[in-house]
Amino acid sequence: MRKIHYLFPIIIASLFLLTACSTQNKSEILNVMESEDKLSATVTPGTMTTSSDNNHMMQPISVENIQNASEEIGGQPLDFRLEGNVKVFELVTKPVTWQIIQDVFATAWTYNGTVPGPMIRVTEGDVVRILIKNELPEPTTIHWHGIAVPNAMDGIPDITQKPILPGETFTYEFIAQPAGTYMYHSHYEGDVQVSAGLYAPFIVDPKEPTSPAPSVDVNLMISEWLLRDGETFAAMPMAGMEPNYFTINGKAFPDTETINVKKGQLVRLRLAGIGQLVHPIHLHGVPFTIVATDGHPVPKAAQLTKDTVLVSPGERYDIEFIATESGQWLLHCHILHHTTNNNVEPGGLMLIINVTD
Ligand SMILES: [Cu+2]
C-alpha cells in the first residue's frame, strides 16, 4: 500500500501534461485552419483549397485553348543542336488533350505535348543546356531528379530560382553526371503538375560501357490519374482524390506498349515511379536481376534476382533479364486494383513482353 502513495504525484503530473499537450494541439490546429482559409482566397486551377465548411475539395485541371497531343507516344528521344561542345535541348510546357486508352482523354500538362515528355539522352560528362518556355497558365520549374547538378540548377521555386512565369523562358545548364537512369519533372506545385503529366526520362549513358549493352532498353514511367465526369484532377493518395487510371508511359492497358523481344536477347527495363503511390512490379516467365538502383549500378555480388520489385515514388530500378522463353509474358503491378481502368479489369499497369523465336 505504501508504494501507491509514491504514485500519486506522478499521476497528477501526467494528467497536467496531457491537458497542456491537448490545449497546445488545439491551438496549432486552429492556426492551420486559419492559414488554410487565407490560402483559399488565392486559388489557382488544380490547387487544393479549403472551403468555409472545412471540407477539402479540388479544382479540375482546366485550360482554355487546349491543344492536341503532338505525338501519340510519349518519352521519345529529343533532338539537340550542338553549340560548341554544348548539347542544347528545347522544351515547351503546354497543356494538351492526352489519350490514356481508347475513348478516355485527360487534360495533361506536358513537356512538348506528350506524356511522358521527350527523353533527354546524353553521355556522361556532356555539357547540357535546356531552354524551357512556359506556355502553361501557371508558373513552373524543372528539377533534374538524381542528377548531380549545381544548386542554382536544381529547380526549386523561391529557393534556388524564381518560378518561371507563364510566357517566360529559363535556361538550365549542367554537366550530365553520373551515368544512370534519371528523370526530370516539375517542382512547382508538384502534387498537381507532376500528376498532370510534367515528367520525362533523362538517361545518362556511361562513357565506356561497363556491361554488355542490352538488345532492348525501355523506360517505363509509372503514374496515376483521376478522371471524373470528363474532367482531370490531380490524383493523390487521400480520400476522394484516389486515382482511377494507372499508366505506364502515359498509357493504360491495353494501350500500353508491347515490348517485342527475340528469344535469347538481353532486355533492360528502367522502371521509374513518378506518381504518388507504390507499385510492386511483377514479371511473368523469367526472373530478373536488379542491375541499378536510382541510377547507380549495383555491384555484381550484390545484385538481387527477383520477380517482383516495389517501385516507390521517385525511385528507379534498372532490371535485366534474358528472354529465354517464347510467348506473350506479362509485366504488371501486383496491387491488382492498379490493373483496372476506372474499376474495370483488365487495364492499368500491365504490358505484354512478346518473345518470339
Ligand atoms: Cu500498383
Side-chain angles (χ1 to χ4, degrees):
M1 280 303 282
R2 272 185 69 188
K3 273 185 189 164
I4 289 173
H5 288 289
Y6 292 114
L7 288 176
F8 279 129
I10 294 168
I11 291 166
I12 287 166
S14 305
L15 281 173
F16 175 78
L17 273 174
L18 272 173
T19 314
C21 284
S22 74
T23 310
Q24 194 194 350
N25 281 345
K26 268 182 208 152
S27 65
E28 275 173 9
I29 290 164
L30 282 174
N31 283 341
V32 170
M33 281 163 63
E34 270 175 28
S35 62
E36 281 185 353
D37 274 346
K38 275 177 204 154
L39 277 177
S40 66
T42 55
V43 304
T44 48
T47 304
M48 192 194 303
T49 61
T50 307
S51 66
S52 54
D53 63 356
N54 230 22
N55 287 328
H56 281 82
M57 54 178 284
M58 299 290 299
Q59 306 275 330
I61 293 161
S62 62
V63 273
E64 287 170 18
N65 306 322
I66 192 161
Q67 303 170 37
N68 288 325
S70 58
E71 290 178 62
E72 237 174 81
I73 311 283
Q76 300 304 299
L78 182 59
D79 285 337
F80 61 86
R81 62 173 189 274
L82 269 177
E83 286 183 14
N85 66 335
V86 182
K87 288 184 175 173
V88 182
F89 295 87
E90 290 189 17
L91 294 175
V92 180
T93 51
K94 55 180 165 188
V96 303
T97 300
W98 182 252
Q99 187 167 22
I100 287 175
I101 49 167
Q102 200 180 3
D103 300 328
V104 178
F105 295 88
T107 300
W109 288 10
T110 69
Y111 297 113
N112 294 11
T114 62
V115 182
M119 169 173 63
I120 295 177
R121 187 160 194 167
V122 293
T123 304
E124 186 174 23
D126 282 352
V127 183
V128 177
R129 184 181 301 148
I130 298 115
L131 314 176
I132 173 189
K133 181 166 195 290
N134 183 12
E135 292 186 1
L136 298 171
E138 281 192 18
T140 196
T141 61
I142 304 182
H143 172 60
W144 312 95
H145 188 103
I147 303 172
V149 299
N151 187 244
M153 297 289 106
D154 204 36
I156 313 305
D158 296 320
I159 293 177
T160 64
Q161 69 169 94
K162 289 207 173 78
I164 310 164
L165 299 178
E168 282 188 351
T169 57
F170 190 85
T171 302
Y172 291 95
E173 186 167 323
F174 50 86
I175 297 168
Q177 61 187 8
T181 301
Y182 303 102
M183 353 189 239
Y184 62 96
H185 64 78
S186 167
H187 221 288
Y188 185 91
E189 291 189 353
D191 58 349
V192 173
Q193 294 198 354
V194 177
S195 291
L198 285 173
Y199 57 82
F202 194 120
I203 307 299
V204 182
D205 288 314
K207 263 190 185 144
E208 278 156 31
T210 49
S211 55
S215 307
V216 177
D217 185 350
V218 182
N219 298 305
L220 301 174
M221 298 191 84
I222 304 160
S223 193
E224 309 96 24
W225 301 80
L226 172 55
L227 306 178
R228 191 189 283 154
D229 303 327
E231 297 204 276
T232 305
F233 296 80
M236 295 186 191
M238 54 188 263
M241 301 313 296
E242 290 100 342
N244 56 350
Y245 288 91
F246 307 87
T247 57
I248 302 173
N249 292 341
K251 303 284 180 185
F253 187 82
D255 286 1
T256 48
E257 71 178 294
T258 292
I259 299 173
N260 288 305
V261 181
K262 286 259 178 282
K263 197 169 163 179
Q265 282 184 324
L266 177 64
V267 180
R268 178 187 297 163
L269 305 179
R270 302 172 191 253
L271 306 171
I274 190 61
Q276 297 301 296
L277 303 187
V278 298
H279 300 289
I281 301 298
H282 173 56
L283 176 66
H284 291 206
V286 289
F288 55 76
T289 306
I290 299 171
V291 299
T293 52
D294 296 343
H296 307 284
V298 178
K300 198 109 194 158
Q303 290 179 0
L304 292 178
T305 301
K306 288 173 66 66
D307 58 38
T308 309
V309 60
L310 184 63
V311 183
S312 293
E315 285 191 318
R316 285 91 59 218
Y317 287 93
D318 292 7
I319 64 172
E320 287 188 354
F321 60 91
I322 293 172
T324 52
E325 309 298 321
S326 51
Q328 294 197 310
W329 298 104
L330 275 190
L331 178 87
H332 70 92
C333 179
H334 221 287
I335 294 175
L336 299 172
H337 177 60
H338 298 173
T339 57
T340 61
N341 296 328
N342 200 23
N343 295 320
V344 179
E345 205 174 357
L349 301 181
M350 296 207 309
L351 61 73
I352 291 170
I353 298 168
N354 188 31
V355 184
T356 51
D357 289 326

